[in-house]
Amino acid sequence: MNVLLANDHGAVELKLRILAWLLEKGHKVTNLGVDTEDRVDYPDIADKAVAEFQKGGYDFGILFCGTGIGISIAANRHKGIRCALVHDAFTALMAKKHNNANFLAFGGRVTYRESPESLIDVFMGAEFQGERHATRIEKLDRN
Ligand code: RB5
């Protein structure tokens, strides 16, 4: 798959870990950074990632900040973006099946009971169910 990654200073280590893991699995990955812990503002990172994603060609993106909360909120301000802050295999599965999320979000300062890698695997292996869920997704962008 073609995956876009972006993060603030709160999740450098986790982003680099996921980047290495995705590359090892043979995926194409674009890393928009940041790769140092110099402070940046997560809304700027989200805007940059969304602008890049909207150029097309990506299967999905993964955003990271300290909690995953700020950067997912920022991404979801953009029309057409459905960024899911997932925390276990069930929410990772539903993010694809019901919400057809085009971004996942994780927190670099969060302790996950199931590894982010396993959640990303679940998401990548799932399929959007369409039908009533497609109708609901269309409604997200009506305003
Ligand atoms: C940065 O300190 C932190 O606020 C940010 O990474 C994120 O957790 C915000 O939601």
Side-chain angles (χ1 to χ4, degrees):
M1 287 192 182
N2 191 3
V3 186
L4 175 66
L5 304 184
N7 62 287
D8 78 359
H9 55 285
V12 175
E13 196 180 315
L14 178 59
K15 188 282 304 286
L16 290 173
R17 192 178 104 193
I18 299 300
L19 170 64
W21 175 76
L22 286 168
L23 289 174
E24 194 186 304
K25 284 174 70 89
H27 297 290
K28 185 174 174 213
V29 187
T30 300
N31 171 25
L32 288 188
V34 298
D35 289 348
T36 74
E37 287 176 15
D38 296 339
R39 281 188 205 142
V40 291
D41 296 333
Y42 60 81
D44 297 335
I45 302 294
D47 287 355
K48 192 174 160 190
V50 168
E52 177 61 25
F53 183 81
Q54 287 172 336
K55 290 180 186 168
Y58 293 98
D59 291 293
F60 72 105
I62 311 176
L63 299 175
F64 306 84
C65 66
T67 57
I69 297 170
I71 204 156
S72 59
I73 291 171
N76 281 319
R77 295 285 173 99
H78 294 268
K79 264 199 177 153
I81 298 302
R82 295 177 301 281
C83 181
L85 180 58
V86 296
H87 49 86
D88 58 18
F90 177 69
T91 51
L93 182 67
M94 288 301 132
K96 184 66 191 181
K97 285 178 81 168
H98 285 190
N99 310 113
N100 201 18
N102 43 24
F103 277 90
L104 295 178
F106 291 96
R109 299 171 184 154
V110 173
T111 303
Y112 289 96
R113 277 188 289 180
E114 298 171 67
S115 72
E117 289 89 338
S118 70
L119 307 190
I120 296 165
D121 249 343
V122 166
F123 179 80
M124 290 196 293
E127 273 185 37
F128 179 48
Q129 287 183 330
E131 299 180 1
R132 68 185 187 278
H133 304 294
T135 307
R136 291 166 185 163
I137 282 171
E138 280 163 25
K139 289 186 178 186
L140 291 172
D141 290 328
R142 67 187 160 181
N143 297 319

